[in-house]
Amino acid sequence: MAQVAKLALEDGTVFSGISCGALGEVDGEVCFNTSMTGYQEILTDPSYRGQIVTMTYPQIGNYGINEEDSESARPHLAGFVMREASRRHSNFRSEGSLQDFLNRWAVVAIEGIDTRALVRRLRPQGAMKSVLSTVDLDEESLVAKAQASPGLVGRDLVREVVPDRSSEWQQPLSHWAIHPLSDDRRRSQNSDGDASPHVVALDFGMKWNIARHLYNMGCRVTVLAGNATADEVLALKPDGVFLSNGPGDPEPVTYAIETIRDLLGKVPIFGICLGHQLLSLACGAETFKMKFGHHGANHPVQDLKNGRVMITSQNHGFAINESTLPGSLQSTHRSLFDGSLQGIRRTDKPAFGFQGHPEASPGPHDAAPLFDHFIKLMRERRAEG
């Protein structure tokens, strides 16, 4: 017999469906993702810590799960919402089913609800606090729990997802990626000191494909926890520092803001998503909570320098208030969906940030050249001595 599950929103709305994952109860901010593929990457993206993710595509799980597509060691989202969870999967790369994956990692999930109705409620009202449960089916109780849940604002969720030790990244991109660096070319580049920049990646909840991109482009990548100090970073003598994506509100992550401020001007810096926001805060800008955020793989972003438009992968619920940019920061990219700021650069130091995900996974690779710019900055700085 199917197990009933219920999703309750803080505004009093309750959706009833069927459990298709682990039994239990979770709270989180409910958001929606418009990607048609990439559900495994979404499930394992640490940026979704504290969120209940609704997939707008109607059938999820139809190509199964495989080890190669994970973006971290385990799922980090609070819960998962679908219109229909596919009971069969067909793909030669598949190593198991979505349901088995959800149960193995104790992810509470619901299917059989009208996800269109849910999204149409979130669009005008904004992302809401919510509770997803298979154990408490009393609707008044669930709504009260949703209203009392902590939400995302003011919470430091980075501390919950940072690695417990540093590491040297050695995993290349698979043959599915574009422009992979062959093993022979990598050995050749690594034998040439000028061609193998050393990147220290500050991990605030980093997707693995970021490190894979840097590694495949010839970089030596050392991953440090996002709460590392500037002295700990500089002790590794990096050619550049990468600031990763991560979950939640950037403003409470004061230790990272202080570290970035101490690093500015000493090494080239590139930040994406949360890293972009932390870099902006370190330079004196301000952030704000978005109405329902950007979560999907089809977001058009314009390069303000040349007018070109790229289609990008996005996952963030906070953004930089462009009107608060100090004189040292210049706007470089803007969303064509809502006009929000998507990119910044320091005018006096080698540092820049991008709100979207140039490594994609899932999503398009239009913004991948941003990695090339980062490597160019590191090589220029090394040439300067």
Side-chain angles (χ1 to χ4, degrees), residues 45-89:
D45 182 352
S47 295
Y48 278 118
R49 190 78 167 191
Q51 293 178 282
I52 295 174
V53 180
T54 302
M55 301 300 296
T56 61
Y57 190 71
Q59 187 179 70
I60 302 298
N62 52 0
Y63 56 85
I65 294 286
N66 69 82
E67 195 68 31
E68 189 177 49
D69 287 346
S70 289
E71 286 299 325
S72 67
R74 56 159 299 148
H76 289 276
L77 44 64
F80 203 44
V81 180
M82 295 159 281
R83 176 67 183 91
E84 178 186 348
S86 178
R87 293 298 186 268
R88 295 183 179 181
H89 54 278

Side-chain angles (χ1 to χ4, degrees), residues 41 78 91-92 169 351 364:
E41 292 92 331
N91 189 288
F92 72 97
W169 188 267

